[in-house]
Amino acid sequence: MTALTALLVLTVLELVLDNGFGGVAFAAAGALLGAIVLPAGVRTGLLLGSFLFGLRVRNVVIGAMRRVTSFRLGGVLVTVRALPVVLSSDIGPRREPVVTRCVLAAVSSTLAGLLVIGACLLVADSSFGHGLVLATTASMIHTLIPRRAPLNTSTGWLLFGLPRMSEPRRLEFRTGAHAAEAHALLQDGELDAAETVVDELAEIAPHARTTASCRATVHEARGEFDKATMLLLHTLSTHSPEAREMSYLLAGLAGLALAAVEAGQLPSADLTPTAEQALHDSVDLGFPRFELSGTFGLLALVNGETERATHLAELGTRHATSGTTRADNLATLARAHMARGDNVSARAALAEAEGLAAWWPRVRSTRQRLTIC
């Protein structure tokens, strides 16, 4: 609807200015470019502000669609995708004062967006410029609207929403610094060090959902899927998180429950329907379905749908940015190939998984099963 409305406005504007339908075409091209350039500029500003003001930057994704390559720049994992028209990054708190650092990064993001609009005004006297200015201005306004959805937080929320958070929610947000540290250690296979960080987090915020999620992730990394599943079930029964946090918890619960079923740690009859419902509920709450492709692939594998499991696991592998997540999806892919009797493809997928995280429980157990085969 937004695109159609913008196209209608541009059409009326160009016809009123007597630029004809040729002018409309140039204006539409300018609007398309503006819709790409402004968000990229805003996110670049946020990324630079995050480095400048001491926030944690874990992943940077350049482009959309399938993954082309990944590499590390210092502690940041950079992923390049096939269609380089968007920029996204995983940014969060690293050290105090968390709120101040986030607001300053958001100010940098806003300034970057205004600079983009200012540059577009230099060509505002042409049809192409009309579309460019209209699109960048509308995108900037949209960026400044406070909103926070799964895997997406607006600059406006950091500027206006974060400073007004209640103290309990602010504490939950601040625990992200410890969670990021634990996650980084887990990516390197340093389980004992990660558990120490989670223990420290438990002393600071014993009842926080982040604490429970981190504890569950440590259990998962040790192959204790049943303990992780029961912990998240208990968290869901004792907390009433908002939709965004609920979507994360449900997505995590689904993956853990299916892993527990696959490992024989929990009964399939009870947990598989629960996991399937949790997956669909997570998507209904706003979690991008394609980001859960690997978990849907594991669900298909548990249900014996090997062809579907293969397709979804491949999709999940292409979209995952975390090393352990990609390794887990590759383990699912290897098992799906094994179930189809294709051990050659299974070994290839497993070799790639071992190159990422050979210590990951599902990767190790897949190696054991494939060795027996």
Side-chain angles (χ1 to χ4, degrees), residues 255-296:
L256 288 168
L258 290 170
V261 167
E262 181 189 52
Q265 296 176 0
L266 291 173
S268 175
D270 296 333
L271 267 296
T272 301
T274 300
E276 185 170 4
Q277 186 62 53
L279 262 181
H280 290 295
D281 288 346
S282 179
V283 172
D284 290 342
L285 288 171
F287 205 105
R289 187 183 182 92
F290 75 91
E291 293 282 358
L292 294 172
S293 297
T295 310
F296 275 107

Side-chain angles (χ1 to χ4, degrees), residues 10-11 14-25 127:
L10 287 173
T11 301
E14 295 305 307
L15 293 179
V16 167
L17 294 175
D18 201 26
N19 290 328
F21 286 101
V24 174
S127 296

Side-chain angles (χ1 to χ4, degrees), residues 8 49 63 84 112 123 130 148 237 343 355 367:
L8 178 62
V123 295
H130 296 159
R148 200 175 189 216
S237 67
N343 285 353
R367 167 56 65 192

Side-chain angles (χ1 to χ4, degrees), residues 64-85:
M65 300 180 69
R66 67 178 181 84
R67 187 181 69 89
V68 175
T69 186
S70 296
F71 56 90
R72 284 199 170 274
L73 286 177
V76 181
L77 177 65
V78 180
T79 300
V80 180
R81 298 195 180 278
L83 190 63
V85 294

